[in-house]
mmCIF file of all heavy atoms in Angstrom:
data_model
loop_
_atom_site.group_PDB
_atom_site.id
_atom_site.type_symbol
_atom_site.label_atom_id
_atom_site.label_comp_id
_atom_site.label_asym_id
_atom_site.label_seq_id
_atom_site.Cartn_x
_atom_site.Cartn_y
_atom_site.Cartn_z
ATOM 1 N N LEU A 588 188.955 197.174 177.809
ATOM 2 C CA LEU A 588 188.190 198.098 176.968
ATOM 3 C C LEU A 588 186.750 198.233 177.465
ATOM 4 O O LEU A 588 186.176 199.324 177.453
ATOM 5 C CB LEU A 588 188.199 197.619 175.515
ATOM 6 C CG LEU A 588 189.522 197.790 174.766
ATOM 7 C CD1 LEU A 588 189.508 197.017 173.458
ATOM 8 C CD2 LEU A 588 189.816 199.261 174.506
ATOM 9 N N PHE A 591 186.776 200.438 180.458
ATOM 10 C CA PHE A 591 187.000 201.813 180.015
ATOM 11 C C PHE A 591 185.731 202.409 179.410
ATOM 12 O O PHE A 591 185.397 203.578 179.645
ATOM 13 C CB PHE A 591 188.150 201.827 179.005
ATOM 14 C CG PHE A 591 188.714 203.187 178.729
ATOM 15 C CD1 PHE A 591 188.574 204.227 179.634
ATOM 16 C CD2 PHE A 591 189.410 203.429 177.554
ATOM 17 C CE1 PHE A 591 189.102 205.484 179.380
ATOM 18 C CE2 PHE A 591 189.948 204.690 177.290
ATOM 19 C CZ PHE A 591 189.776 205.712 178.204
ATOM 20 N N TRP A 636 184.029 207.958 172.366
ATOM 21 C CA TRP A 636 184.500 206.567 172.328
ATOM 22 C C TRP A 636 185.181 206.266 170.989
ATOM 23 O O TRP A 636 186.377 205.991 170.948
ATOM 24 C CB TRP A 636 183.335 205.610 172.568
ATOM 25 C CG TRP A 636 183.709 204.161 172.555
ATOM 26 C CD1 TRP A 636 183.293 203.211 171.665
ATOM 27 C CD2 TRP A 636 184.593 203.479 173.460
ATOM 28 N NE1 TRP A 636 183.855 201.990 171.954
ATOM 29 C CE2 TRP A 636 184.658 202.125 173.051
ATOM 30 C CE3 TRP A 636 185.345 203.879 174.578
ATOM 31 C CZ2 TRP A 636 185.426 201.176 173.724
ATOM 32 C CZ3 TRP A 636 186.116 202.935 175.239
ATOM 33 C CH2 TRP A 636 186.153 201.608 174.820
ATOM 34 N N LYS A 639 187.659 209.227 169.812
ATOM 35 C CA LYS A 639 188.803 209.493 170.688
ATOM 36 C C LYS A 639 189.404 208.192 171.209
ATOM 37 O O LYS A 639 190.324 207.631 170.627
ATOM 38 C CB LYS A 639 188.363 210.360 171.874
ATOM 39 C CG LYS A 639 188.286 211.838 171.606
ATOM 40 C CD LYS A 639 187.962 212.535 172.918
ATOM 41 C CE LYS A 639 188.161 214.018 172.830
ATOM 42 N NZ LYS A 639 187.951 214.651 174.146
ATOM 43 N N ASN A 640 188.852 207.704 172.312
ATOM 44 C CA ASN A 640 189.485 206.631 173.079
ATOM 45 C C ASN A 640 189.653 205.313 172.317
ATOM 46 O O ASN A 640 190.772 204.857 172.079
ATOM 47 C CB ASN A 640 188.684 206.413 174.363
ATOM 48 C CG ASN A 640 188.625 207.674 175.207
ATOM 49 O OD1 ASN A 640 189.610 208.079 175.797
ATOM 50 N ND2 ASN A 640 187.474 208.318 175.258
ATOM 51 N N PHE A 641 188.564 204.685 171.943
ATOM 52 C CA PHE A 641 188.627 203.410 171.235
ATOM 53 C C PHE A 641 189.352 203.565 169.905
ATOM 54 O O PHE A 641 190.202 202.735 169.547
ATOM 55 C CB PHE A 641 187.206 202.878 171.023
ATOM 56 C CG PHE A 641 187.142 201.493 170.458
ATOM 57 C CD1 PHE A 641 187.692 200.420 171.138
ATOM 58 C CD2 PHE A 641 186.517 201.251 169.236
ATOM 59 C CE1 PHE A 641 187.622 199.129 170.623
ATOM 60 C CE2 PHE A 641 186.443 199.978 168.715
ATOM 61 C CZ PHE A 641 186.991 198.898 169.407
ATOM 62 N N GLY A 642 189.035 204.637 169.182
ATOM 63 C CA GLY A 642 189.674 204.867 167.890
ATOM 64 C C GLY A 642 191.179 205.003 167.983
ATOM 65 O O GLY A 642 191.921 204.476 167.143
ATOM 66 N N GLN A 643 191.651 205.694 169.021
ATOM 67 C CA GLN A 643 193.091 205.874 169.196
ATOM 68 C C GLN A 643 193.795 204.568 169.543
ATOM 69 O O GLN A 643 194.932 204.335 169.142
ATOM 70 C CB GLN A 643 193.362 206.902 170.295
ATOM 71 C CG GLN A 643 192.988 208.326 169.922
ATOM 72 C CD GLN A 643 193.223 209.296 171.060
ATOM 73 O OE1 GLN A 643 194.054 209.066 171.930
ATOM 74 N NE2 GLN A 643 192.472 210.389 171.067
ATOM 75 N N PHE A 644 193.093 203.702 170.285
ATOM 76 C CA PHE A 644 193.707 202.454 170.752
ATOM 77 C C PHE A 644 193.679 201.329 169.717
ATOM 78 O O PHE A 644 194.410 200.344 169.864
ATOM 79 C CB PHE A 644 193.011 201.962 172.031
ATOM 80 C CG PHE A 644 193.420 202.710 173.263
ATOM 81 C CD1 PHE A 644 192.460 203.342 174.044
ATOM 82 C CD2 PHE A 644 194.744 202.790 173.650
ATOM 83 C CE1 PHE A 644 192.829 204.047 175.189
ATOM 84 C CE2 PHE A 644 195.125 203.483 174.791
ATOM 85 C CZ PHE A 644 194.163 204.116 175.561
ATOM 86 N N LEU A 645 192.848 201.450 168.689
ATOM 87 C CA LEU A 645 192.666 200.337 167.750
ATOM 88 C C LEU A 645 193.965 199.825 167.114
ATOM 89 O O LEU A 645 194.196 198.611 167.093
ATOM 90 C CB LEU A 645 191.656 200.733 166.661
ATOM 91 C CG LEU A 645 190.187 200.536 167.027
ATOM 92 C CD1 LEU A 645 189.285 201.051 165.913
ATOM 93 C CD2 LEU A 645 189.877 199.086 167.330
ATOM 94 N N PRO A 646 194.844 200.694 166.566
ATOM 95 C CA PRO A 646 196.097 200.171 166.011
ATOM 96 C C PRO A 646 196.955 199.466 167.063
ATOM 97 O O PRO A 646 197.621 198.471 166.758
ATOM 98 C CB PRO A 646 196.799 201.435 165.486
ATOM 99 C CG PRO A 646 195.686 202.388 165.193
ATOM 100 C CD PRO A 646 194.697 202.147 166.300
ATOM 101 N N LEU A 647 196.925 199.957 168.300
ATOM 102 C CA LEU A 647 197.686 199.317 169.376
ATOM 103 C C LEU A 647 197.117 197.940 169.687
ATOM 104 O O LEU A 647 197.873 196.980 169.934
ATOM 105 C CB LEU A 647 197.655 200.197 170.634
ATOM 106 C CG LEU A 647 198.454 199.688 171.845
ATOM 107 C CD1 LEU A 647 199.925 199.521 171.488
ATOM 108 C CD2 LEU A 647 198.304 200.639 173.023
ATOM 109 N N ILE A 648 195.792 197.810 169.680
ATOM 110 C CA ILE A 648 195.158 196.507 169.906
ATOM 111 C C ILE A 648 195.562 195.535 168.808
ATOM 112 O O ILE A 648 195.884 194.373 169.072
ATOM 113 C CB ILE A 648 193.619 196.662 169.950
ATOM 114 C CG1 ILE A 648 193.210 197.519 171.140
ATOM 115 C CG2 ILE A 648 192.941 195.295 170.033
ATOM 116 C CD1 ILE A 648 191.779 198.018 171.081
ATOM 117 N N ALA A 649 195.549 196.013 167.559
ATOM 118 C CA ALA A 649 195.972 195.177 166.434
ATOM 119 C C ALA A 649 197.421 194.723 166.608
ATOM 120 O O ALA A 649 197.761 193.571 166.320
ATOM 121 C CB ALA A 649 195.808 195.946 165.130
ATOM 122 N N LEU A 650 198.265 195.621 167.092
ATOM 123 C CA LEU A 650 199.680 195.297 167.316
ATOM 124 C C LEU A 650 199.846 194.234 168.396
ATOM 125 O O LEU A 650 200.668 193.325 168.264
ATOM 126 C CB LEU A 650 200.450 196.564 167.699
ATOM 127 C CG LEU A 650 201.917 196.379 168.097
ATOM 128 C CD1 LEU A 650 202.712 195.755 166.953
ATOM 129 C CD2 LEU A 650 202.528 197.714 168.505
ATOM 130 N N ILE A 651 199.071 194.335 169.461
ATOM 131 C CA ILE A 651 199.165 193.380 170.573
ATOM 132 C C ILE A 651 198.933 191.945 170.097
ATOM 133 O O ILE A 651 199.566 191.007 170.579
ATOM 134 C CB ILE A 651 198.165 193.762 171.690
ATOM 135 C CG1 ILE A 651 198.646 195.020 172.411
ATOM 136 C CG2 ILE A 651 197.976 192.621 172.682
ATOM 137 C CD1 ILE A 651 197.638 195.616 173.361
ATOM 138 N N PHE A 690 191.071 190.480 165.983
ATOM 139 C CA PHE A 690 190.933 191.931 165.912
ATOM 140 C C PHE A 690 189.527 192.333 165.472
ATOM 141 O O PHE A 690 188.913 193.238 166.049
ATOM 142 C CB PHE A 690 191.972 192.513 164.950
ATOM 143 C CG PHE A 690 191.938 194.009 164.852
ATOM 144 C CD1 PHE A 690 192.184 194.797 165.960
ATOM 145 C CD2 PHE A 690 191.652 194.633 163.643
ATOM 146 C CE1 PHE A 690 192.150 196.188 165.885
ATOM 147 C CE2 PHE A 690 191.622 196.012 163.548
ATOM 148 C CZ PHE A 690 191.866 196.791 164.679
ATOM 149 N N SER A 728 192.701 200.750 160.691
ATOM 150 C CA SER A 728 193.550 200.503 161.860
ATOM 151 C C SER A 728 194.265 199.158 161.784
ATOM 152 O O SER A 728 195.295 198.961 162.437
ATOM 153 C CB SER A 728 192.720 200.580 163.146
ATOM 154 O OG SER A 728 191.664 199.647 163.123
ATOM 155 N N TYR A 774 195.509 207.857 161.081
ATOM 156 C CA TYR A 774 194.620 208.425 162.095
ATOM 157 C C TYR A 774 193.706 209.511 161.521
ATOM 158 O O TYR A 774 192.643 209.785 162.084
ATOM 159 C CB TYR A 774 195.428 208.984 163.264
ATOM 160 C CG TYR A 774 195.775 207.938 164.294
ATOM 161 C CD1 TYR A 774 197.077 207.457 164.409
ATOM 162 C CD2 TYR A 774 194.798 207.428 165.145
ATOM 163 C CE1 TYR A 774 197.392 206.483 165.357
ATOM 164 C CE2 TYR A 774 195.110 206.466 166.089
ATOM 165 C CZ TYR A 774 196.403 205.990 166.186
ATOM 166 O OH TYR A 774 196.711 205.031 167.122
ATOM 167 N N LEU A 778 190.018 208.577 162.889
ATOM 168 C CA LEU A 778 189.334 209.549 163.737
ATOM 169 C C LEU A 778 188.715 210.682 162.912
ATOM 170 O O LEU A 778 188.513 211.778 163.421
ATOM 171 C CB LEU A 778 190.327 210.137 164.756
ATOM 172 C CG LEU A 778 191.137 209.131 165.588
ATOM 173 C CD1 LEU A 778 192.121 209.856 166.493
ATOM 174 C CD2 LEU A 778 190.221 208.237 166.400
#
Side-chain angles (χ1 to χ4, degrees):
L588 287 168
F591 195 23
W636 180 244
K639 278 185 167 185
N640 301 289
F641 187 61
Q643 290 178 26
F644 283 123
L645 276 176
L647 182 59
I648 296 165
L650 174 60
I651 288 170
F690 182 62
S728 58
Y774 275 107
L778 308 177

